[in-house]
């Protein structure tokens, strides 16, 4: 019986023009997203490699290690970011790392190409969030009330079929058709990737597979919701209107409202406010540093090297103390801001998860490695890199790099020094989050998507069992 | 068993339906339809004819009383009842993007007839008067009469003891109406019990064994068609509907 109902549903959907249009649009959009994603990824890799080479070139000709005041590091392009861009285009991708001082990232893609920021990319996540949800609505809005309007519901229910089975047939049929179409489209898209020179690792394939599973859960959820709404409305127009309102609220309004509410709930000082406080403190410290210099009395010695060594030792002592105070102050301010920001984000994400669209976004971006945490991961790894760079330069120079003044003596008759070898500078290697950790983080959102599915399926059964099928 | 040792197939026992808005759609209705019998309910809009059919189909719960098919209550065991019941609506609507054969295949399987073949479907479609060349055409191009024939074919294929017809001749041309009556008589000959709601006095008199005139959820009159043979049913109907009943109803009112 269920098989008959599912077969009929599949046959009816496949035979309808709306499925043909839906499938074509779905296929074109998915192929387009894979194509543009792959091309964009290759461009990003080219730019990333060129930027790294250019950075190394900037050290050419330098003969003293203490002249290496900074090194530029770059967030490598992630292949999956081309399919689920998440925040990857919003956050800074490069950072000038100095041996001391604050680590900041800049040069976000949207900063460089504002047109993209305005219209955004068509990626797989966008297709799932907007297009797929709309297709689910188109397939499900008339599942029950449409049968009633057509006049076939009464005839179907005049047979000995339980209503739950009838509904299940509708749901399974529609879900099978759309998910098979989706898998075919994504499968073709996946074939495009190696053809365009993008090779995913086995771990990235697993991540992509899980993203597709999240997309299917999201699609199932909207389908179940559409069937539920069609089970308590008598007219297809009413059902479609209700679902459109839910779709707009879910994808466009609720996540934004959540961010607005959290912004009101927790006041986070701006980067400029913090910058001002840090600058004030730095000025204060600098004055104190200069005052300390007044207390320095050079030793009386004819050996200039000893004089220099004594001066550098003194400089180290006061600069290290100043640097420590600055670091403590900056860390405290940054931590306070970070905690506030975290609190605000947690409120925003908790509220946004009322909308399944947010759960899908968070799950897929976590799996693609482009979740909002990418910014923290890059920042943290850049901080770690700063420490290793400082240690390296201190070792090379024998001085506390980035502390204060460095006094050198150049002797005209000194032998010509060889240029430094820039490849000796520690390389920055970004380590993406491990798969198991990403899956662990995405699990709550998968749970929510499954929960929403169960709620809407149960809702559909309850309302259809009470549905006036006359 | 009664009425010449025939089995009661469809039975309404004190059937009452009051809607939530207070409208009394059926008022203590009683009737029994035997095998080989065609029972016609005549009445205007809102008389309660479709409500009666809907209760048999378990699309409505009775407020009190019972609607039984082969002795089984429709609201207690609806799935058992529906196995013995076929239904043809006033305006048969099937899946427009399916062909006649595909529609028959789907509804037959839904009705529990899993072993039927294309030959069976074609045979029945020809029997109801649908030419072979349209069997593979999609329903969206079918006229109301052609869809009606498909609906009847579905009911025949389900092979139940009872068939419910809701306004079956409404909108049919005279030829189609005549063919329908022939078919109804065939079904009766096969032992089916037929409950038919209709406005069509002429067809009712032509086909039915028992005719009931219904208004405000009650039978104003219920007579064997044989006893009405020499009466002008149309004027009788008009008199009842106008509230000038010539005689109190003979039974079950």
């Amino acid at each position: 019986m269920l098989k008959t109902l599912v077969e009929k549903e599949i046959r009816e959907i496949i035979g309808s023009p709306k499925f043909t249009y839906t499938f074509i649009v779905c296929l074109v959009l998915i192929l387009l997203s894979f194509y543009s994603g792959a091309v964009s990824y290759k461009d990003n890799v080219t730019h990333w490699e060129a930027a790294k080479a250019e950075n190394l070139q900037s050290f050419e000709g330098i003969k003293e290690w203490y002249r290496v005041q900074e090194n530029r590091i770059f967030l490598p392009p992630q292949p999956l970011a081309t399919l689920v861009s998440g925040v990857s285009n919003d956050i800074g991708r490069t950072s000038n790392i100095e041996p001391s001082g604050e680590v900041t990232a800049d040069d976000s893609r949207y900063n460089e190409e504002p047109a993209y920021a305005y219209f955004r990319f068509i990626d797989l996540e966008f297709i799932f969030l907007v297009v797929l949800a709309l297709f689910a609505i188109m397939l499900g809005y008339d599942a029950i009330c449409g049968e009633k309007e057509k006049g076939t519901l009464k005839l179907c229910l005049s047979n000995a079929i339980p209503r739950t089975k009838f509904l299940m047939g509708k749901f399974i049929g529609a879900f099978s058709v759309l998910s098979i179409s989706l898998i075919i489209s994504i499968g073709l898209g996946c074939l495009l990737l190696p053809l365009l020179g993008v090779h995913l690792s086995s771990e990235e394939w697993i991540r992509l597979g899980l993203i597709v599973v999240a997309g299917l859960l999201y699609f199932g959820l909207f389908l179940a919701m559409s069937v539920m709404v069609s089970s308590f409305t008598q007219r297809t127009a009413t059902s479609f209107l209700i679902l459109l309102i839910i779709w707009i609220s879910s994808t466009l309004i609720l996540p934004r409202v959540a961010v607005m509410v959290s912004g009101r709930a927790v006041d986070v000082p701006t980067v400029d406010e913090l910058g001002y406080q840090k600058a004030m403190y730095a000025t204060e410290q600098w004055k104190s540093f200069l005052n300390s210099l007044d207390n320095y009395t050079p030793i009386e010695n004819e050996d200039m090297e000893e004089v220099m060594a004594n001066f550098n030792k003194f400089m180290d002592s006061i600069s290290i103390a100043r640097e420590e105070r600055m670091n403590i102050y900056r860390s405290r301010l940054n931590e306070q801001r970070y905690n506030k920001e975290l609190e605000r984000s947690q409120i925003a994400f908790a509220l946004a998860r009322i909308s399944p669209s947010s759960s899908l976004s968070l799950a897929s971006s976590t799996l693609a490695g482009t979740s909002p945490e990418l910014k923290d991961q890059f920042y943290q790894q850049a901080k770690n890199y700063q420490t290793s760079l400082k240690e390296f330069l201190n070792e090379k120079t024998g001085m506390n790099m980035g502390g204060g003044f460095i006094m050198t003596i150049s002797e005209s008759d000194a032998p010509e020094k060889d240029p430094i070898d820039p490849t000796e500078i520690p390389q920055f290697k970004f380590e993406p989050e491990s798969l198991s950790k990403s899956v662990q983080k995405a699990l709550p959102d998968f749970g929510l998507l499954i929960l929403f599915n169960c709620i809407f399926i149960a809702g559909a059964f309850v309302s259809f069992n009470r549905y006036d099928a006359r | 068993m009664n009425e010449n040792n025939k089995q009661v197939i469809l039975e309404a026992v004190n059937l009452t339906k009051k809607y939530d808005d207070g409208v009394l759609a059926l008022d203590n209705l009683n009737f029994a339809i035997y095998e080989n019998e065609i029972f016609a309910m005549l009445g205007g809009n809102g008389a309660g004819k479709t409500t009666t059919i809907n209760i048999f189909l378990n699309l409505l719960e009775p407020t009190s009383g019972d609607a039984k098919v082969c002795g089984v209550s429709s609201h207690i065991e609806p799935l058992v009842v529906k196995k013995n019941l076929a239904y043809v609506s006033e305006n048969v609507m099937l899946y427009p993007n399916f062909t006649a054969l595909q529609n028959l295949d789907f509804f037959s399987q839904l009705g529990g007839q899993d072993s039927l073949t294309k030959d069976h479907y074609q045979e029945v479609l020809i029997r109801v008067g649908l030419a072979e060349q349209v069997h593979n055409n999609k329903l969206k191009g079918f006229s109301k009469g052609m869809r009606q024939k498909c609906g009847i074919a579905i009911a025949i294929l389900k092979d139940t003891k009872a068939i419910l017809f809701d306004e079956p001749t409404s909108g049919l041309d005279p030829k189609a109406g005549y063919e329908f009556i022939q078919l109804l008589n065939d079904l009766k000959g096969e032992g089916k019990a037929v409950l038919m709601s209709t406005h069509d006095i002429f067809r009712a008199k032509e086909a039915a064994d028992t005719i009931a005139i219904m208004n405000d959820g009650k039978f104003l009159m219920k007579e064997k068609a044989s006893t009405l043979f020499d009466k002008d049913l149309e004027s009788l109907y008009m008199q009842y509907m106008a509230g000038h009943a010539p005689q109190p109803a003979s039974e079950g009112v």
Side-chain angles (χ1 to χ4, degrees):
Chain A
M1 183 77 75
L2 185 62
K3 187 171 160 270
T4 306
L5 288 163
V6 171
E7 278 174 1
K8 169 253 153 190
E9 199 61 30
I10 291 173
R11 201 187 294 167
E12 198 187 5
I13 293 172
I14 290 176
S16 68
K18 75 178 172 188
F19 169 74
T20 312
Y21 303 138
T22 303
F23 181 65
I24 292 171
V25 170
C26 200
L27 181 70
V28 167
L29 280 177
I30 287 176
L31 291 181
L32 190 69
S33 76
F34 272 78
Y35 175 78
S36 63
V39 169
S40 163
Y41 171 70
K42 283 186 74 182
D43 285 349
N44 289 344
V45 169
T46 310
H47 291 149
W48 174 66
E49 281 169 349
K52 280 200 306 179
E54 201 175 285
N55 182 54
L56 270 185
Q57 273 178 358
S58 70
F59 297 114
E60 271 180 17
I62 293 177
K63 294 174 180 172
E64 305 287 351
W65 277 105
Y66 65 80
R67 292 193 187 280
V68 178
Q69 298 290 323
E70 61 179 26
N71 186 27
R72 203 161 170 75
I73 61 167
F74 307 91
L75 180 65
Q78 304 293 318
L80 285 180
T82 57
L83 297 176
V84 180
S85 57
V87 299
S88 63
N89 292 316
D90 301 76
I91 63 169
R93 293 172 298 161
T94 61
S95 181
N96 276 331
I97 303 291
E98 294 175 2
S100 69
E102 283 210 88
V103 172
T104 53
D106 45 29
D107 294 341
S108 75
R109 180 147 195 210
Y110 285 155
N111 187 36
E112 287 171 12
E113 295 164 286
Y116 287 125
Y118 198 73
F119 296 111
R120 303 262 154 172
F121 290 91
I122 292 183
D123 61 2
L124 206 56
E125 186 196 354
F126 171 82
I127 293 170
F128 284 161
L129 277 180
V130 181
V131 185
L132 213 63
L134 197 58
F135 288 167
I137 289 173
M138 281 171 65
L139 281 184
Y141 81 97
D142 59 350
I144 301 301
C145 55
E147 289 264 3
K148 185 177 176 176
E149 270 186 0
K150 276 187 281 187
T152 43
L153 184 62
K154 196 170 174 180
L155 185 56
C156 286
L157 294 181
S158 70
N159 291 294
I161 21 163
R163 287 191 179 204
T164 45
K165 212 171 252 186
F166 184 78
L167 198 75
M168 195 52 94
K170 288 243 153 223
F171 183 76
I172 295 173
F175 186 79
S176 313
V177 172
L178 245 282
S179 47
I180 290 169
S181 322
L182 183 71
I183 288 166
I184 291 172
S185 308
I186 291 176
L188 289 173
C190 288
L191 288 178
L192 266 184
L193 290 180
L195 291 177
L196 292 167
V198 179
H199 300 282
L200 299 184
S201 66
S202 54
E203 192 187 296
E204 282 162 343
W205 280 118
I206 295 172
R207 284 173 186 268
L208 180 58
L210 288 170
I211 291 167
V212 174
V213 171
L216 287 176
L217 282 172
Y218 182 71
F219 166 69
L221 174 161
F222 261 90
L223 185 66
M225 183 167 65
S226 307
V227 174
M228 184 185 81
V229 172
S230 83
S231 308
F232 62 70
T233 47
Q234 299 294 318
R235 296 179 58 215
T236 49
T238 315
S239 169
F240 194 65
L241 187 67
I242 292 172
L243 286 161
L244 268 189
I245 293 169
I246 295 173
W247 175 68
I248 291 169
S249 309
S250 167
T251 53
L252 301 174
I253 298 173
L254 273 174
R256 283 168 170 79
V257 168
V259 173
M260 279 165 59
V261 170
S262 68
R264 290 275 173 197
V266 182
D267 191 22
V268 181
T270 63
V271 174
D272 290 337
E273 279 169 5
L274 241 65
Y276 175 73
Q277 288 178 37
K278 286 172 191 171
M280 291 295 285
Y281 189 75
T283 309
E284 198 181 291
Q285 289 299 307
W286 186 248
K287 277 180 190 165
S288 153
F289 176 77
L290 291 176
N291 289 338
S292 305
L293 277 180
D294 293 340
N295 300 331
Y296 177 70
T297 316
I299 56 163
E300 290 183 7
N301 195 323
E302 288 191 358
D303 185 351
M304 269 316 281
E305 287 213 354
E306 266 190 44
V307 173
M308 289 301 305
N310 180 268
F311 176 75
N312 283 339
K313 197 177 165 190
F314 170 74
M315 281 304 297
D316 275 357
S317 67
I318 58 169
S319 63
I320 286 170
R322 181 178 71 100
E323 199 183 315
E324 272 176 8
R325 283 195 299 278
M326 289 283 294
N327 280 341
I328 290 168
Y329 185 74
R330 276 196 301 248
S331 300
R332 186 161 53 83
L333 286 184
N334 286 345
E335 195 180 331
Q336 281 170 357
R337 185 175 190 276
Y338 177 78
N339 288 340
K340 289 258 184 191
E341 214 175 38
L342 191 68
E343 192 186 343
R344 188 167 70 177
S345 306
Q346 281 170 345
I347 293 174
F349 290 145
L351 289 175
R353 281 184 169 107
I354 296 170
S355 153
S357 311
S358 306
S359 291
L360 174 71
S361 285
L362 291 168
S364 51
S365 61
T366 302
L367 288 164
T370 56
S371 72
E373 287 182 18
L374 178 63
K375 186 183 166 189
D376 289 340
Q377 287 163 12
F378 183 45
Y379 174 77
Q380 202 50 55
Q381 292 187 33
K383 286 277 285 177
N384 294 341
Y385 177 75
Q386 184 183 41
T387 310
S388 53
L389 180 70
K390 186 183 166 78
E391 281 169 3
F392 170 79
L393 289 176
N394 286 356
E395 195 187 311
K396 284 281 181 192
T397 58
M399 292 183 282
N400 176 39
M401 289 296 287
F405 295 122
I406 294 165
M407 195 174 282
T408 58
I409 302 164
S410 50
E411 293 169 17
S412 57
D413 56 344
E416 186 79 6
K417 283 189 176 177
D418 289 333
I420 61 163
D421 179 6
T423 56
E424 281 186 59
I425 298 171
Q427 294 296 304
F428 173 72
K429 193 168 183 302
F430 181 74
E431 287 292 340
E433 194 175 62
S434 70
L435 174 63
S436 59
K437 207 168 180 185
S438 298
V439 170
Q440 208 177 335
K441 282 183 184 169
L443 271 181
D445 289 305
F446 270 90
L448 276 174
L449 289 173
I450 293 169
L451 179 71
F452 276 122
N453 266 287
C454 295
I455 290 172
F456 291 133
I457 289 173
F461 281 130
V462 170
S463 54
F464 185 50
N465 274 323
R466 301 165 61 162
Y467 191 71
D468 184 359
R470 287 176 293 154
Chain B
M1 289 275 191
N2 204 335
E3 200 143 290
N4 307 325
N5 272 345
K6 283 183 182 172
Q7 190 193 348
V8 177
I9 305 291
L10 295 163
E11 191 179 11
V13 183
N14 301 325
L15 195 61
T16 303
K17 176 67 191 176
K18 195 172 186 179
Y19 286 111
D20 293 342
D21 57 6
V23 173
L24 186 65
L26 293 180
D27 187 4
N28 213 30
L29 204 66
N30 286 285
F31 64 85
I33 306 173
Y34 295 85
E35 54 189 319
N36 297 95
E37 184 182 359
I38 299 173
F39 187 103
M41 289 188 291
L42 281 170
N45 292 328
K49 306 185 299 289
T50 304
T51 301
T52 308
I53 288 176
N54 284 337
I55 290 175
F56 273 103
L57 291 171
N58 188 239
L59 298 175
L60 274 178
E61 288 267 315
T63 308
S64 64
D66 211 347
K68 294 178 182 174
V69 180
C70 299
V72 180
S73 165
S74 67
H75 68 279
I76 294 173
E77 289 189 79
L79 296 183
V80 176
V81 161
K82 285 176 185 180
K83 281 182 185 163
N84 290 315
L85 215 53
Y87 165 71
V88 182
S89 65
E90 175 189 357
N91 189 9
V92 173
M93 296 305 291
L94 303 170
Y95 293 103
N97 286 324
F98 286 7
T99 64
L101 289 172
Q102 286 171 335
N103 268 294
L104 254 63
D105 183 44
F106 169 65
F107 282 104
S108 297
Q109 289 192 46
L110 218 56
Q113 302 292 340
D114 298 328
S115 55
L116 297 178
T117 61
K118 189 181 166 187
D119 290 343
H120 287 110
Y121 303 143
Q122 285 191 313
E123 190 185 313
V124 174
L125 282 174
I126 289 167
R127 183 181 162 195
V128 297
L130 210 60
E132 197 173 347
Q133 55 265 39
V134 297
H135 291 185
N136 280 308
N137 289 2
K138 287 189 176 176
L139 259 284
K140 60 185 169 193
F142 278 27
S143 68
K144 184 181 177 183
M146 289 162 88
R147 279 186 277 119
Q148 190 82 347
K149 285 172 182 172
C150 283
I152 295 167
I154 289 167
I156 292 171
L157 284 166
K158 196 174 174 187
D159 193 22
T160 53
K161 290 185 176 172
I163 305 179
L164 309 178
F165 287 97
D166 195 0
E167 310 284 359
T169 53
S170 146
L172 292 187
D173 61 48
K175 183 174 175 283
Y178 172 77
E179 284 169 355
F180 172 72
I181 297 301
Q182 298 303 311
L183 206 62
L184 216 54
N185 281 321
D186 287 350
L187 293 171
K188 178 190 157 187
E190 290 168 13
K192 315 274 185 207
V194 175
L195 171 62
M196 174 171 76
S197 88
T198 184
H199 297 293
D200 191 339
I201 297 168
F202 176 69
R203 298 289 177 207
K205 193 175 175 185
E206 202 176 4
D209 297 299
T210 308
I211 296 173
I213 296 176
M214 200 177 186
N215 195 29
D216 290 336
K218 287 186 283 199
F219 285 155
L220 301 177
M221 178 214 91
K222 190 172 73 163
E223 296 265 356
K224 288 284 166 198
S226 52
T227 63
L228 293 167
F229 186 71
D230 53 351
K231 293 181 189 170
D232 181 357
L233 183 59
E234 192 170 2
S235 61
L236 205 59
Y237 175 74
M238 295 310 292
Q239 284 176 53
Y240 272 115
M241 297 311 283
H244 308 300
Q247 292 284 321
S250 54
E251 53 174 302
V253 179

